[in-house]
Every structure is written in C-alpha cells, then in structure tokens.
Amino acid sequence: RFNDYGTLEELILGIRKYASFIDDIFIVVQNKSEVNISLDNIKIVEHHEIIPNNFLPTFNSCTIEMFIGNIKGLSEYFIYGNDDMFFINNVEESDFFDKGKLCLSLDNLSVDTMYQNVVKNSFSLFHAYIREFTLFIALYRAICSKGG
C-alpha cells in the first residue's frame, strides 16, 4: 500500500496524453510528504483538509470518496478515479459529459463479480431517483467510451 512503484507518475502522464481536456488534478493523501510530484496543475490535498477529524485516520476509499466534494477548487463537474485507474486511449470531454449532463452507460457492464454487481445496482438506483447528475464517478468499466 505504501510503496511507490512510479504508477502515480504514469497515471498523470496518461491523463495528460489521453485526456488533455482535464485542467486540474487533485491527489488526496494522508500526508503531503508521501507524494513527491511537482507538476503544473497538480494539487495535493491531505485527508484532514476534506474529512472531519472524527473519521480520521482513514485509508478506506469509501470514506475518502464521501468527502471528495469538500475539495476546495474542485469543479462542479469532475472525473474521479483511484490510483489504479489509467487512461490508455484517447478520451474527450464529451465521453463523460454532454451539454452539462453526465454521459454514463452501464449497458456494456457485465456482472461477473460482486463489486460489479454493487456498481450496477448503485447506478440503477441513481437513475431511478436522481434525474440530474452534476458529477461523475469513474468506476470499473462504467464509463461511456468510443468504440467500446
């Protein structure tokens, strides 16, 4: 969990190469000293800046995700991903957002793990009860894509 294998740098390079429309990248960490990156438009955010103290310390991604909306300077529309989610092909803003609305499809999501089933059920509930999406959470194989 705490070893650096250079994947964060690769993730950032992939964003810059394949998703150049992304302006700012926020990296949420327990302690800023954990990250040795000095690139333009990279903002390091510590857990205590967005998560109430009674939930700290935490390394639970669900807890961290609950408070992502507290990041200062985060756009109303954003793409969320973990450190193991890489862009490996070109994407456009229109792959995620269309005229200010979320572009999301679960049509091609096969349910072959419990996690994928949870994702599909969660987004089915979102579609049933929430008509307007103002944010995007990139989840495992759950984004619109060109050509599959």
Side-chain angles (χ1 to χ4, degrees), residues 8 17 36 44 86 130 135 138:
L8 189 57
K17 181 175 182 179
N36 185 18
I44 309 299
F86 296 83
I130 300 174
L135 60 91

Side-chain angles (χ1 to χ4, degrees), residues 46-140:
E46 291 185 336
H47 290 177
H48 72 87
E49 295 177 61
I50 62 169
I51 302 173
N53 286 335
N54 56 318
F55 295 107
L56 296 175
T58 187
F59 293 97
N60 182 307
S61 61
C62 293
T63 302
I64 296 166
E65 289 163 3
M66 285 176 44
F67 297 100
I68 285 177
N70 293 339
I71 295 174
K72 290 182 177 120
L74 185 66
S75 173
E76 180 180 1
Y77 299 94
F78 64 94
I79 300 169
Y80 164 76
N82 262 320
D83 62 351
D84 59 354
M85 301 173 81
F86 296 83
F87 288 103
I88 58 171
N89 207 340
N90 290 321
V91 294
E92 302 294 329
E93 188 172 357
S94 60
D95 292 326
F96 301 94
F97 306 104
D98 181 29
K99 297 178 186 138
K101 296 198 182 205
L102 175 67
C103 173
L104 177 66
S105 173
L106 295 176
D107 295 337
N108 297 326
L109 179 65
S110 62
V111 179
D112 50 21
T113 69
M114 188 169 77
Y115 174 75
Q116 290 170 313
N117 195 29
V118 168
V119 170
K120 194 161 189 169
N121 286 339
S122 295
F123 277 92
S124 294
L125 289 170
F126 285 145
H127 281 288
Y129 295 104
I130 300 174
R131 301 290 175 222
E132 296 287 327
F133 288 95
T134 58
L135 60 91
F136 174 81
I137 299 177
L139 293 170
Y140 184 68

Side-chain angles (χ1 to χ4, degrees), residues 3-29:
N3 293 331
D4 179 9
Y5 298 105
T7 55
L8 189 57
E9 289 83 0
E10 290 297 320
L11 185 144
I12 292 167
L13 290 172
I15 291 171
R16 293 191 173 192
K17 181 175 182 179
Y18 298 117
S20 59
F21 65 91
I22 295 176
D23 295 321
D24 296 310
I25 300 170
F26 296 87
I27 300 173
V28 179
V29 297

